Amino acid sequence: MFEPRPDEPLYAFLRDQITEEQNRYGQNIELTDADSALRCKSLNINGDTAIGENPNRYKQHGFYFNSDNCIGCHACESACSEKNDVPAHIAFRSVGFVEAGTYPDYQRTNISMACNHCDDPVCLTGCPTRAYTKFAEYGAVLQDPDICFGCGYCTWVCPYNAPQLDPVKGEVSKCNMCVDRLEVNLKPACVAACLGNALDFGVIENIPENRIQAKTEIPGFPSTDITHPNIRFQKTHNTHREVTRTDDMPLKYHRDDELGKFKPVVDEKQGREQHWNLRKLLTSHESAHVLFTLCTQATVGAFSMLMLGNWLNINAIVTLKNSSAFAPLVLLIFAISTFGLFKLNMHLGKPHRFYRGFNNLKLSPVSREIAGVSMFYTGLLGYTALGLFNIAFLNSIANIFAFIGVLSGAIGLYYMYKLYRIPARPFWNHWQTGSAFVGTLLSFGALLIAIVSACILPLAGMQVLLQNLAAVMVLGLAIEGCGHIVHARDMQGASHEGAASYYHQVTEYGKSYSLRNGLLAFNLALVAVIAVMGLSGAIGYLAGLVLVFSMLVMAAFGRSLFFVLVIPTTMPGAFFWKNKGFVEHARAIGLADAPQHGVAYERHHAFKVDELLKTIKETSVKDMLENIKGIFL
């Protein structure tokens, strides 16, 4: 337990107030029944078995922020970091601001934000390891870093940037509501440290003394519809119709008089000039996801086509199965799938804890995706090991594995799509995500089969197969292209962060985006010609090589754009490393190499394998074991 000081000031203590029965979202503030088994249990804070005596212990608590009083001193940040021993490169609580008007009528609105301990915490339902728990005590949403394996999905789904992925430790942590202080009737450390009396804390919907408002939103605050956050605001000063962010996010906020709230719109801070930005595009933090999604969709597509074609007795596939190209094709599918899974696993903060990804099958689409893709891999492995032998008994077992692989592959890809339908990332939250994945499954699955077949078998004897595969590729590319067209139209006219993503797409990555679109159109036209005319001779091989190269470049650019363009519904920030622009500047000039400045490279993702190989090469066995331990722990 936290031990109060003998001279603890009165303002640091929680108030015993009469509370409402329901919050404004219609949910009960009292979180348990009087005879619930969840009551009268110790939180076992630091091994202390005592139970807090707060009369409102089982009611939903939340923060109250009075923007009229906030002076932007960051004392709340400092108190939180000091109390929780937070490293310099992450922060559980952050202070940002938006501004409006010009001199002499300039306005600045500060916003202090941490975890809002929501009624519907998407971090909890999204986490594949079940590291999150919403407690009956105070309604606190707590996270256990020891359970976390560092996938970072909770940082994607949270609209408020509350979970913090530590790139050094490879795990997530966040605000814990200072429950150790609440148990002894003290307010959280950030509230007690606030100089301007801007932060307060208590049972949700209770308006503190000398306050007159309890709004659910404030300019720059994301929509409350996603999670029903437990924070209330006061802002009595009139605000201009337009407020802007001071960070490099291309967003500003316009007041919608009908809705009575501010809506995000594009702020063209970088102008309209188009750029390539190839280095940022192709070497992003999410490159592992690029490779994993492309490899998995291609191999699921190719394997499913082979198995379904054989079961449905499609002549071209049956002929391929009986040819010398079938075994190398299956082995290549297995190798590509293995590579994709390896890249995904090494992307985790704690790769050796990968098995925890199955812990939340009941709620998390990530767990379900992992389960589906793992079962596909199991089916593929079983078929690869048994199906290449011409033995009736083994072939029967191999077909069972193949059925498991085809079925679970479809399930895995469905949940791969579902896990990207994130309201907090509007650029992804569109059916085009599904059309892109299905398009890749069809086009690259067929391309993979065609490549191996053309390399081993003579073109003259496989025209029907190639034409059928080209027709499948036409369908896949057409589905992907239609999705891109509709997505671009919807994002361009949107009133959310997706519009800012579209702005980045046509400016910061405008030339790369145009190249992707051009290659998509070119590939569609070329495979349409192949579907009608087939391939033959040297010209056929040349056309095939051009198609393969063009498809790979298109996929690399397209899937990389998918990941680098997404802009989450985060709070505005403009304080040192929390500003994205500052982080990039610090890394470009080497400032990030000095850890005291609070900018940390995410080395645990990109360099783990390189460090391991270097360790094996350059050290003795004894030292090698110690270094490997340092890399992974």
Side-chain angles (χ1 to χ4, degrees):
M1 291 286 192
F2 187 88
E3 294 187 8
R5 298 173 298 178
D7 59 344
E8 199 77 55
L10 291 178
Y11 63 76
F13 286 91
L14 292 167
R15 296 183 304 278
D16 181 11
Q17 292 180 277
I18 298 175
T19 64
E20 302 287 340
E21 293 185 0
Q22 290 187 328
N23 65 15
R24 64 192 62 202
Y25 305 115
Q27 294 178 297
N28 291 334
I29 292 177
E30 187 79 36
L31 298 175
T32 64
D33 298 327
D35 57 349
S36 173
L38 295 175
R39 288 183 177 245
C40 300
K41 289 182 177 292
S42 172
L43 292 175
N44 291 311
I45 300 169
N46 296 325
D48 193 327
T49 59
I51 299 175
E53 298 180 354
N54 186 337
N56 293 322
R57 190 172 189 250
Y58 304 102
K59 294 180 180 179
Q60 179 66 60
H61 285 59
F63 290 99
Y64 184 94
F65 180 69
N66 181 1
S67 69
D68 299 333
N69 283 28
C70 182
I71 60 175
C73 65
H74 301 273
C76 53
E77 283 187 17
S78 300
C80 174
S81 296
E82 186 276 333
K83 192 261 180 186
N84 293 292
D85 195 22
V86 179
H89 51 273
I90 63 176
F92 295 168
R93 177 169 289 278
S94 298
V95 177
F97 62 89
V98 292
E99 58 185 7
T102 57
Y103 178 83
D105 190 17
Y106 166 82
Q107 296 177 344
R108 170 171 165 170
T109 301
N110 296 311
I111 306 174
S112 176
M113 186 58 52
C115 177
N116 294 314
H117 301 275
C118 307
D119 290 341
D120 300 313
V122 289
C123 54
L124 184 153
T125 55
C127 176
T129 67
R130 295 181 65 182
Y132 288 84
T133 304
K134 186 170 178 66
F135 280 78
E137 290 82 4
Y138 313 103
V141 178
L142 304 184
Q143 190 264 0
D144 188 346
D146 293 334
I147 297 176
C148 172
F149 65 1
C151 72
Y153 188 67
C154 57
T155 68
W156 286 7
V157 298
C158 176
Y160 313 110
N161 197 34
Q164 300 285 300
L165 177 61
D166 188 338
V168 177
K169 294 182 178 180
E171 64 189 26
V172 171
S173 54
K174 70 171 207 49
C175 161
N176 55 28
M177 204 188 256
C178 286
V179 289
D180 55 341
R181 291 176 58 92
L182 300 184
E183 286 286 77
V184 292
N185 289 320
L186 287 175
K187 296 176 183 178
C190 56
V191 176
C194 181
L195 300 181
N197 195 21
L199 270 178
D200 211 325
F201 185 85
V203 177
I204 200 65
E205 305 300 357
N206 279 2
I207 301 178
E209 294 178 346
N210 303 317
R211 301 290 181 259
I212 59 175
Q213 291 180 340
K215 298 179 178 181
T216 57
E217 296 185 0
I218 196 172
F221 188 71
S223 172
T224 61
D225 298 335
I226 301 174
T227 64
H228 292 170
N230 286 301
I231 185 172
R232 300 294 181 262
F233 300 99
Q234 174 167 314
K235 180 173 174 54
T236 58
H237 297 161
N238 291 329
T239 305
H240 290 278
R241 298 188 64 84
E242 177 180 287
V243 297
T244 60
R245 299 171 65 121
T246 56
D247 54 18
D248 71 341
M249 194 77 76
L251 283 172
K252 55 186 176 182
Y253 304 93
H254 282 175
R255 186 170 64 219
D256 188 323
D257 292 330
E258 293 184 4
L259 298 177
K261 61 176 68 175
F262 283 79
K263 298 172 62 175
V265 296
V266 175
D267 187 0
E268 297 186 358
K269 296 179 178 179
Q270 286 85 33
R272 301 295 299 183
E273 184 178 356
Q274 294 187 348
H275 303 276
W276 285 102
N277 270 315
L278 293 180
R279 183 175 181 180
K280 290 170 62 177
L281 176 65
L282 300 177
T283 60
S284 72
H285 169 71
E286 306 301 345
S287 293
H289 286 289
V290 172
L291 293 171
F292 167 69
T293 55
L294 289 175
C295 290
T296 301
Q297 289 157 20
T299 53
V300 169
F303 186 71
S304 298
M305 290 178 201
L306 288 177
M307 296 301 104
L308 292 174
N310 184 53
W311 296 335
L312 297 174
N313 204 30
I314 297 175
N315 289 334
I317 299 296
V318 173
T319 302
L320 174 63
K321 186 177 185 299
N322 295 325
S323 72
S324 60
F326 184 72
L329 176 58
V330 173
L331 290 172
L332 180 62
I333 291 173
F334 176 73
I336 293 175
S337 181
T338 301
F339 174 74
L341 284 171
F342 173 77
K343 291 298 293 183
L344 178 69
N345 189 63
M346 295 308 295
H347 180 72
L348 298 175
K350 299 176 182 177
H352 54 297
R353 305 294 190 191
F354 69 92
Y355 56 88
R356 292 178 177 172
F358 301 98
N359 287 358
N360 198 9
L361 290 171
K362 182 178 180 181
L363 298 174
S364 174
V366 181
S367 283
R368 295 173 182 178
E369 180 221 30
I370 294 172
V373 173
S374 298
M375 286 301 296
F376 163 75
Y377 186 75
T378 302
L380 175 60
L381 175 61
Y383 186 85
T384 304
L386 302 176
L388 302 183
F389 300 98
N390 192 21
I391 302 175
F393 173 70
L394 293 181
N395 286 341
S396 298
I397 299 176
N399 281 327
I400 295 175
F401 275 107
F403 177 78
I404 293 172
V406 171
L407 178 62
S408 56
I411 295 172
L413 291 191
Y414 172 74
Y415 284 108
M416 183 182 292
Y417 158 71
K418 290 291 290 183
L419 73 87
Y420 287 102
R421 291 301 301 266
I422 302 173
R425 297 191 171 222
F427 187 73
W428 289 347
N429 193 27
H430 190 278
W431 61 263
Q432 178 267 341
T433 297
S435 67
F437 289 179
V438 170
T440 300
L441 179 145
L442 294 173
S443 60
F444 275 85
L447 181 66
L448 186 55
I449 297 173
I451 290 173
V452 176
S453 302
C455 288
I456 297 176
L457 303 176
L459 287 181
M462 50 180 291
Q463 290 302 312
V464 175
L465 174 63
L466 289 179
Q467 287 178 287
N468 289 343
L469 292 173
V472 174
M473 292 182 66
V474 168
L475 178 61
L477 291 171
I479 291 173
E480 185 173 356
C482 290
H484 287 320
I485 292 171
V486 176
H487 183 252
R489 182 200 65 193
D490 292 347
M491 293 300 106
Q492 185 177 12
S495 295
H496 51 58
E497 286 75 8
S501 294
Y502 176 81
Y503 169 70
H504 269 317
Q505 182 172 253
V506 297
T507 55
E508 186 177 3
Y509 300 97
K511 293 182 179 180
S512 298
Y513 173 61
S514 297
L515 176 63
R516 193 283 308 273
N517 293 342
L519 291 176
L520 177 57
F522 170 78
N523 293 334
L524 182 57
L526 182 55
V527 294
V529 171
I530 296 173
V532 175
M533 302 181 63
L535 291 175
S536 61
I539 296 178
Y541 280 110
L542 179 61
L545 286 174
V546 170
L547 176 62
V548 171
F549 178 76
S550 179
M551 287 286 291
L552 290 175
V553 174
M554 179 200 75
F557 274 63
R559 194 54 54 84
S560 296
L561 284 169
F562 175 80
F563 283 102
V564 302
L565 287 172
V566 66
I567 293 178
T569 57
T570 54
M571 296 299 301
F575 186 60
F576 295 110
W577 63 267
K578 302 180 190 70
N579 184 337
K580 174 186 172 186
F582 174 79
V583 173
E584 294 175 355
H585 170 70
R587 289 175 176 170
I589 66 174
L591 191 62
D593 293 319
Q596 65 268 27
H597 294 289
V599 182
Y601 277 106
E602 294 170 335
R603 287 193 172 95
H604 75 287
H605 292 311
F607 300 103
K608 227 166 219 167
V609 177
D610 293 338
E611 290 182 29
L612 180 58
L613 294 176
K614 184 178 179 181
T615 297
I616 294 173
K617 183 178 179 181
E618 298 180 355
T619 62
S620 65
V621 174
K622 180 179 179 181
D623 292 338
M624 179 183 71
L625 295 175
E626 291 297 324
N627 289 338
I628 292 175
K629 180 180 178 182
I631 291 171
F632 285 99
L633 299 181

